Amino acid sequence: MEKTVLITGATSGIGEATARRLTEDGYSVIITGRRADRLEKLGDELQATTLCFDIRDREQTLTALSLIERVDVLVNNAGLAAGLEHIDVGDYRDWEAMIDTNIKGVLWATQAIVPKMIEAGGGYIVNIGSIAGIQTYENGAVYCASKHAMHALSQGMRIDLLSHNIRVTEIRPGMVETEFSEVRFHGDAERAKGVYKGVEPLTGDDIARTIAWVLSQPPHVNINDIEITPTAQASAYYTFRK
Ligand code: NDP
Ligand code: 8X3
């Protein structure tokens, strides 16, 4: 039977690449995001089901996801960094955006989908964490805290869902060139480009291929977590730039 995957935040970057790759692999794909125009365009191209909602809003998320009958794979991907500042001068609105999306949004989507998986006798959750989920870098305290939460949630889900035959994988990428940095710098494209200067970063498809590989494992195998960086990046603190 064709498997169904729900990918949150598929209007760009890692989510979009994953939607493309898993469509090629024969999955029936459901994609979400707030930017309706992009979502519809990708939905038409991939013949994917689209659900347009803001994942920070619990009611919107639960209502939208209640429309789906069955989900075999949930990719908790929607997320962002906002701002790059010392904690004494950070903007509370950036903090709220990160906490409401990267932590609460994951909880809303997970809680909407897990009962359907339990009813179906099992499922697979892939959480997009970050190297920031186990390393904390200067100016990134709140983003790092949100991804540390994703690391804890991934471990907690794996424990709590053990008896329901639900596998949980956390993928922790380093630098991936997407719209991530432009969003972090509130639309400053020049500053965003500087993040990848002198480095060949990962692409969204590098992560999509990793997800596809994880999902291709036989049912008795669970890949717990994967950390993946560009060759030129050893950790959040060490990057070799040409
Ligand atoms: P992008 O900015 O390219 O994509 C982010 C996606 O999340 C978009 O589709 C966006 O859709 C969606 N999204 C953001 N906020 C919301 C919201 N409130 N409601 C619904 N959807 C939302 O960045 P990436 O692809 O890089 O990011 C994807 C994930 O990967 C994030 O969780 C990020 O933290 C993580 N990550 C990224 C790394 C990188 O270097 N790029 C490294 C490690 C992890 P829309 O705006 O249409 O709502
Ligand atoms: C996104 C990459 O370098 O900000 O998670 O941790 S980084």
Side-chain angles (χ1 to χ4, degrees):
M1 201 172 88
E2 194 177 60
K3 295 221 171 195
T4 298
V5 59
L6 166 67
I7 305 161
T8 66
T11 52
S12 62
I14 294 170
E16 178 181 344
T18 304
R20 290 184 185 285
R21 169 88 32 198
L22 295 185
T23 300
E24 267 179 39
D25 286 358
Y27 282 83
S28 168
V29 175
I30 304 166
I31 52 176
T32 85
R34 289 164 301 177
R35 289 170 290 181
D37 48 342
R38 287 203 189 198
L39 198 60
E40 288 316 314
K41 197 160 166 257
L42 188 64
D44 286 348
E45 187 192 328
L46 303 181
Q47 299 191 331
T49 303
T50 60
L51 294 170
C52 190
F53 61 91
D54 186 333
I55 207 162
R56 291 173 297 183
D57 185 317
R58 182 169 175 272
E59 285 309 311
Q60 267 190 45
T61 304
L62 295 185
T63 303
L65 298 185
S66 73
L67 303 172
I68 308 170
E69 265 180 32
R70 182 190 168 109
V71 174
D72 298 289
V73 181
L74 165 64
V75 182
N76 278 317
N77 168 74
L80 80 163
L84 190 67
E85 279 144 353
H86 280 181
I87 196 137
D88 51 322
V89 291
D91 186 327
Y92 75 92
R93 287 160 295 202
D94 285 343
W95 299 351
E96 282 185 336
M98 291 186 278
I99 289 165
D100 290 351
T101 313
N102 302 357
I103 305 176
K104 292 186 188 174
V106 170
L107 292 174
W108 309 154
T110 303
Q111 202 172 40
I113 297 304
V114 159
K116 298 177 200 285
M117 289 181 171
I118 292 175
E119 204 178 315
Y124 208 133
I125 300 174
V126 178
N127 288 330
I128 307 301
S130 168
I131 54 171
I134 53 169
Q135 301 164 20
T136 304
Y137 54 83
E138 186 177 8
N139 291 313
V142 179
Y143 178 70
C144 293
S146 75
K147 290 298 181 180
H148 273 65
M150 182 61 125
H151 184 46
L153 286 172
S154 300
Q155 295 172 81
M157 287 179 199
R158 201 173 297 123
I159 297 163
D160 291 350
L161 302 177
L162 202 53
S163 65
H164 296 295
N165 188 33
I166 296 177
R167 292 184 277 177
V168 180
T169 296
E170 181 190 9
I171 298 184
R172 291 195 301 274
M175 207 183 277
V176 189
E177 190 164 14
T178 61
E179 294 180 12
F180 178 85
S181 293
E182 211 171 315
V183 171
R184 165 169 256 170
F185 300 132
H186 304 295
D188 185 339
E190 269 314 298
R191 193 172 172 200
K193 244 173 44 195
V195 172
Y196 312 106
K197 206 167 166 210
V199 180
E200 184 177 349
L202 298 172
T203 64
D205 189 55
D206 291 324
I207 307 305
R209 274 189 288 106
T210 307
I211 294 171
W213 175 77
V214 157
L215 296 178
S216 74
Q217 298 307 306
H220 68 287
V221 175
N222 187 69
I223 307 292
N224 291 330
D225 54 11
I226 294 183
E227 189 167 298
I228 170 168
T229 61
T231 302
Q233 184 181 31
S235 71
Y237 327 105
Y238 296 103
T239 300
F240 179 73
R241 294 178 196 272
K242 282 195 185 135

